[in-house]
Short mmCIF file of all heavy atoms in Angstrom, two decimals:
data_model
loop_
_atom_site.label_atom_id
_atom_site.label_comp_id
_atom_site.label_asym_id
_atom_site.label_seq_id
_atom_site.Cartn_x
_atom_site.Cartn_y
_atom_site.Cartn_z
N ILE A 1 -16.30 -13.71 53.09
CA ILE A 1 -14.85 -14.06 52.97
C ILE A 1 -14.85 -15.46 52.50
O ILE A 1 -15.51 -16.40 53.17
CB ILE A 1 -14.23 -13.91 54.49
CG1 ILE A 1 -14.34 -12.53 54.94
CG2 ILE A 1 -12.91 -14.44 54.37
CD1 ILE A 1 -14.67 -12.35 56.37
N PHE A 2 -14.09 -15.76 51.48
CA PHE A 2 -14.15 -17.03 50.83
C PHE A 2 -12.86 -17.32 50.07
O PHE A 2 -12.09 -16.33 49.90
CB PHE A 2 -15.37 -17.02 49.90
CG PHE A 2 -15.31 -15.87 48.88
CD1 PHE A 2 -14.70 -15.99 47.61
CD2 PHE A 2 -15.81 -14.61 49.17
CE1 PHE A 2 -14.61 -15.06 46.73
CE2 PHE A 2 -15.71 -13.64 48.28
CZ PHE A 2 -15.18 -13.74 47.06
N TYR A 3 -12.65 -18.55 49.63
CA TYR A 3 -11.52 -19.04 48.82
C TYR A 3 -11.85 -18.48 47.48
O TYR A 3 -12.96 -18.86 46.93
CB TYR A 3 -11.29 -20.48 48.91
CG TYR A 3 -10.59 -20.85 50.16
CD1 TYR A 3 -10.75 -22.18 50.69
CD2 TYR A 3 -9.56 -20.00 50.83
CE1 TYR A 3 -10.00 -22.60 51.71
CE2 TYR A 3 -9.06 -20.39 51.91
CZ TYR A 3 -9.22 -21.66 52.43
OH TYR A 3 -8.54 -22.16 53.56
N ALA A 4 -10.93 -17.93 46.75
CA ALA A 4 -11.03 -17.51 45.40
C ALA A 4 -10.91 -18.67 44.45
O ALA A 4 -11.36 -18.51 43.23
CB ALA A 4 -9.96 -16.35 45.07
N ASP A 5 -10.26 -19.75 44.81
CA ASP A 5 -9.90 -20.86 43.90
C ASP A 5 -9.96 -22.16 44.67
O ASP A 5 -9.94 -22.19 45.98
CB ASP A 5 -8.56 -20.56 43.29
CG ASP A 5 -8.43 -21.41 41.97
OD1 ASP A 5 -9.32 -22.28 41.64
OD2 ASP A 5 -7.43 -21.09 41.22
N LEU A 6 -10.10 -23.19 43.90
CA LEU A 6 -10.11 -24.54 44.49
C LEU A 6 -8.64 -25.05 44.88
O LEU A 6 -8.40 -26.07 45.50
CB LEU A 6 -10.67 -25.63 43.65
CG LEU A 6 -12.23 -25.41 43.51
CD1 LEU A 6 -12.68 -26.36 42.42
CD2 LEU A 6 -12.95 -25.67 44.77
N THR A 7 -7.50 -24.24 44.33
CA THR A 7 -6.26 -24.75 44.55
C THR A 7 -5.42 -23.64 45.18
O THR A 7 -5.72 -22.45 45.18
CB THR A 7 -5.68 -25.18 43.14
OG1 THR A 7 -5.69 -23.96 42.33
CG2 THR A 7 -6.19 -26.35 42.58
N ALA A 8 -4.26 -23.98 45.71
CA ALA A 8 -3.43 -23.04 46.46
C ALA A 8 -1.96 -23.41 46.07
O ALA A 8 -1.69 -24.41 45.43
CB ALA A 8 -3.60 -23.19 48.00
N THR A 9 -1.06 -22.55 46.36
CA THR A 9 0.35 -22.80 46.24
C THR A 9 0.99 -23.44 47.41
O THR A 9 0.74 -22.96 48.59
CB THR A 9 1.06 -21.45 45.90
OG1 THR A 9 0.41 -20.89 44.96
CG2 THR A 9 2.55 -21.71 45.58
N HIS A 10 1.74 -24.59 47.16
CA HIS A 10 2.25 -25.30 48.27
C HIS A 10 3.76 -25.32 48.10
O HIS A 10 4.40 -25.65 47.03
CB HIS A 10 1.81 -26.77 48.16
CG HIS A 10 1.83 -27.56 49.37
ND1 HIS A 10 2.08 -28.86 49.53
CD2 HIS A 10 1.64 -27.10 50.65
CE1 HIS A 10 2.13 -29.28 50.81
NE2 HIS A 10 1.84 -28.16 51.45
N TYR A 11 4.51 -24.87 49.15
CA TYR A 11 5.98 -24.68 49.21
C TYR A 11 6.54 -25.81 50.05
O TYR A 11 5.93 -26.29 51.03
CB TYR A 11 6.42 -23.36 49.76
CG TYR A 11 5.97 -22.21 48.86
CD1 TYR A 11 4.73 -21.48 49.25
CD2 TYR A 11 6.68 -21.83 47.73
CE1 TYR A 11 4.51 -20.40 48.37
CE2 TYR A 11 6.21 -20.85 46.91
CZ TYR A 11 5.18 -20.03 47.22
OH TYR A 11 4.72 -19.06 46.43
N ARG A 12 7.75 -26.23 49.78
CA ARG A 12 8.40 -27.23 50.46
C ARG A 12 9.83 -26.71 50.82
O ARG A 12 10.64 -26.15 50.15
CB ARG A 12 8.68 -28.54 49.62
CG ARG A 12 9.42 -29.61 50.38
CD ARG A 12 9.63 -30.88 49.48
NE ARG A 12 10.81 -30.55 48.44
CZ ARG A 12 10.49 -30.46 47.19
NH1 ARG A 12 9.29 -30.52 46.72
NH2 ARG A 12 11.55 -30.33 46.49
N THR A 13 10.08 -26.77 52.27
CA THR A 13 11.45 -26.53 52.75
C THR A 13 12.20 -27.86 52.93
O THR A 13 11.86 -28.64 53.65
CB THR A 13 11.29 -25.77 54.07
OG1 THR A 13 10.56 -24.61 53.96
CG2 THR A 13 12.70 -25.37 54.50
N ASP A 14 13.34 -27.80 52.16
CA ASP A 14 14.15 -29.02 52.17
C ASP A 14 15.68 -28.66 52.45
O ASP A 14 16.01 -27.47 52.25
CB ASP A 14 14.04 -29.84 50.87
CG ASP A 14 14.29 -31.26 51.12
OD1 ASP A 14 14.83 -31.66 52.16
OD2 ASP A 14 13.93 -32.08 50.17
N ILE A 15 16.54 -29.58 52.64
CA ILE A 15 17.86 -29.31 52.69
C ILE A 15 18.36 -28.96 51.31
O ILE A 15 18.02 -29.51 50.41
CB ILE A 15 18.61 -30.42 53.25
CG1 ILE A 15 18.49 -31.82 52.53
CG2 ILE A 15 18.51 -30.76 54.68
CD1 ILE A 15 19.22 -32.97 52.92
N SER A 16 19.29 -27.94 51.25
CA SER A 16 19.67 -27.55 49.93
C SER A 16 20.64 -28.50 49.24
O SER A 16 20.44 -28.72 47.91
CB SER A 16 20.55 -26.14 50.05
OG SER A 16 21.69 -26.43 50.97
N GLN A 17 21.35 -29.23 49.85
CA GLN A 17 22.14 -30.34 49.29
C GLN A 17 22.41 -31.47 50.30
O GLN A 17 22.82 -31.14 51.42
CB GLN A 17 23.57 -29.86 48.86
CG GLN A 17 23.54 -29.00 47.55
CD GLN A 17 24.97 -28.64 47.18
OE1 GLN A 17 25.93 -28.47 47.86
NE2 GLN A 17 25.18 -28.74 45.77
N ASP A 18 22.07 -32.75 49.85
CA ASP A 18 22.37 -33.87 50.72
C ASP A 18 23.85 -34.31 50.30
O ASP A 18 24.51 -33.72 49.54
CB ASP A 18 21.41 -35.02 50.55
CG ASP A 18 21.18 -35.36 49.05
OD1 ASP A 18 21.94 -34.85 48.26
OD2 ASP A 18 20.22 -36.06 48.78
N SER A 19 24.35 -35.42 50.77
CA SER A 19 25.66 -36.00 50.60
C SER A 19 25.76 -36.33 49.06
O SER A 19 26.89 -35.94 48.49
CB SER A 19 25.91 -37.19 51.47
OG SER A 19 24.85 -38.09 51.26
N LEU A 20 24.80 -36.82 48.50
CA LEU A 20 24.83 -37.15 46.94
C LEU A 20 25.01 -35.79 46.19
O LEU A 20 25.70 -35.77 45.30
CB LEU A 20 23.67 -37.95 46.66
CG LEU A 20 23.68 -38.44 45.22
CD1 LEU A 20 24.79 -39.38 44.99
CD2 LEU A 20 22.28 -39.17 44.91
N GLY A 21 24.09 -34.77 46.57
CA GLY A 21 24.34 -33.56 45.96
C GLY A 21 25.72 -32.89 46.08
O GLY A 21 26.19 -32.24 45.10
N VAL A 22 26.19 -32.94 47.29
CA VAL A 22 27.62 -32.47 47.45
C VAL A 22 28.61 -33.13 46.63
O VAL A 22 29.45 -32.49 45.96
CB VAL A 22 28.07 -32.43 48.86
CG1 VAL A 22 29.47 -32.05 49.08
CG2 VAL A 22 27.06 -31.60 49.77
N LEU A 23 28.41 -34.56 46.57
CA LEU A 23 29.39 -35.26 45.75
C LEU A 23 29.27 -34.93 44.35
O LEU A 23 30.19 -34.75 43.55
CB LEU A 23 29.06 -36.83 46.02
CG LEU A 23 29.87 -37.79 45.08
CD1 LEU A 23 31.36 -37.61 45.47
CD2 LEU A 23 29.42 -39.22 45.37
N ALA A 24 28.04 -34.72 43.82
CA ALA A 24 27.82 -34.37 42.41
C ALA A 24 28.41 -33.03 42.04
O ALA A 24 29.00 -32.78 41.01
CB ALA A 24 26.24 -34.49 41.98
N SER A 25 28.13 -32.05 43.06
CA SER A 25 28.52 -30.75 42.78
C SER A 25 30.22 -30.71 42.78
O SER A 25 30.83 -30.06 41.86
CB SER A 25 28.09 -29.76 44.00
OG SER A 25 28.72 -28.45 43.85
N PHE A 26 30.77 -31.32 43.73
CA PHE A 26 32.23 -31.36 43.77
C PHE A 26 32.79 -32.09 42.52
O PHE A 26 33.74 -31.63 41.91
CB PHE A 26 32.78 -32.01 44.97
CG PHE A 26 32.69 -30.97 46.16
CD1 PHE A 26 31.85 -30.03 46.30
CD2 PHE A 26 33.41 -31.40 47.28
CE1 PHE A 26 31.85 -29.09 47.26
CE2 PHE A 26 33.39 -30.45 48.51
CZ PHE A 26 32.50 -29.39 48.53
N GLY A 27 32.17 -33.30 42.23
CA GLY A 27 32.63 -33.94 41.07
C GLY A 27 32.46 -33.20 39.78
O GLY A 27 33.35 -33.29 38.85
N GLY A 28 31.37 -32.41 39.60
CA GLY A 28 31.19 -31.66 38.42
C GLY A 28 32.20 -30.49 38.22
O GLY A 28 32.81 -30.32 37.17
N ILE A 29 32.59 -29.88 39.38
CA ILE A 29 33.66 -28.88 39.32
C ILE A 29 34.95 -29.47 38.92
O ILE A 29 35.77 -28.85 38.16
CB ILE A 29 33.60 -28.05 40.67
CG1 ILE A 29 32.47 -27.28 40.95
CG2 ILE A 29 34.94 -27.05 40.73
CD1 ILE A 29 32.20 -26.66 42.15
N LEU A 30 35.38 -30.47 39.68
CA LEU A 30 36.71 -31.13 39.39
C LEU A 30 36.81 -31.70 38.09
O LEU A 30 37.75 -31.67 37.45
CB LEU A 30 36.91 -32.23 40.51
CG LEU A 30 37.23 -31.72 41.92
CD1 LEU A 30 37.22 -32.81 42.97
CD2 LEU A 30 38.36 -30.82 42.07
N GLY A 31 35.65 -32.29 37.55
CA GLY A 31 35.73 -32.81 36.26
C GLY A 31 35.75 -31.78 35.16
O GLY A 31 36.42 -31.98 34.18
N LEU A 32 35.14 -30.59 35.45
CA LEU A 32 35.14 -29.62 34.34
C LEU A 32 36.46 -28.81 34.26
O LEU A 32 36.95 -28.52 33.22
CB LEU A 32 34.04 -28.51 34.74
CG LEU A 32 33.94 -27.28 33.82
CD1 LEU A 32 33.52 -27.63 32.43
CD2 LEU A 32 33.04 -26.27 34.53
N PHE A 33 37.06 -28.52 35.36
CA PHE A 33 38.42 -27.85 35.44
C PHE A 33 39.62 -28.77 35.27
O PHE A 33 40.60 -28.32 34.71
CB PHE A 33 38.50 -27.01 36.66
CG PHE A 33 37.57 -25.72 36.58
CD1 PHE A 33 36.36 -25.85 37.00
CD2 PHE A 33 38.12 -24.62 36.00
CE1 PHE A 33 35.53 -24.70 36.97
CE2 PHE A 33 37.31 -23.44 36.05
CZ PHE A 33 36.02 -23.52 36.55
N LEU A 34 39.50 -30.04 35.93
CA LEU A 34 40.71 -30.86 35.97
C LEU A 34 40.60 -32.19 35.20
O LEU A 34 41.58 -32.84 35.00
CB LEU A 34 41.10 -31.01 37.44
CG LEU A 34 41.40 -29.73 38.14
CD1 LEU A 34 41.64 -30.16 39.66
CD2 LEU A 34 42.59 -29.04 37.69
N GLY A 35 39.35 -32.51 34.94
CA GLY A 35 39.15 -33.94 34.39
C GLY A 35 39.32 -34.94 35.53
O GLY A 35 39.67 -36.20 35.18
N PHE A 36 39.12 -34.57 36.65
CA PHE A 36 39.20 -35.55 37.91
C PHE A 36 38.21 -36.51 38.10
O PHE A 36 36.98 -36.14 37.74
CB PHE A 36 39.37 -34.65 39.14
CG PHE A 36 39.83 -35.43 40.35
CD1 PHE A 36 41.20 -35.72 40.66
CD2 PHE A 36 38.91 -36.13 41.22
CE1 PHE A 36 41.53 -36.45 41.76
CE2 PHE A 36 39.27 -36.83 42.27
CZ PHE A 36 40.61 -36.97 42.59
N SER A 37 38.47 -37.66 38.36
CA SER A 37 37.52 -38.78 38.65
C SER A 37 37.94 -39.71 39.77
O SER A 37 39.01 -39.47 40.23
CB SER A 37 37.27 -39.53 37.34
OG SER A 37 38.36 -40.25 37.06
N ILE A 38 37.16 -40.63 40.10
CA ILE A 38 37.46 -41.54 41.16
C ILE A 38 38.63 -42.31 40.73
O ILE A 38 39.53 -42.69 41.56
CB ILE A 38 36.17 -42.47 41.49
CG1 ILE A 38 35.10 -41.66 42.02
CG2 ILE A 38 36.56 -43.45 42.55
CD1 ILE A 38 35.36 -40.91 43.27
#
């Protein structure tokens, strides 16, 4: 029983969207459809 390779696959579990991501997502949608900005 042994490792087949010197490397492995490493996964990261993170929050899907932080506050900056939500702001960018909402801003992108509003800008695309309405041209809305601050």
Side-chain angles (χ1 to χ4, degrees):
I1 299 136
F2 55 93
Y3 282 153
D5 202 347
L6 291 174
T7 58
T9 304
H10 205 213
Y11 296 100
R12 182 183 72 250
T13 300
D14 205 347
I15 54 177
S16 57
Q17 279 189 328
D18 55 10
S19 56
L20 186 60
V22 172
L23 179 62
S25 174
F26 283 19
I29 293 173
L30 292 174
L32 176 65
F33 284 89
L34 302 175
F36 187 86
S37 66
I38 299 295

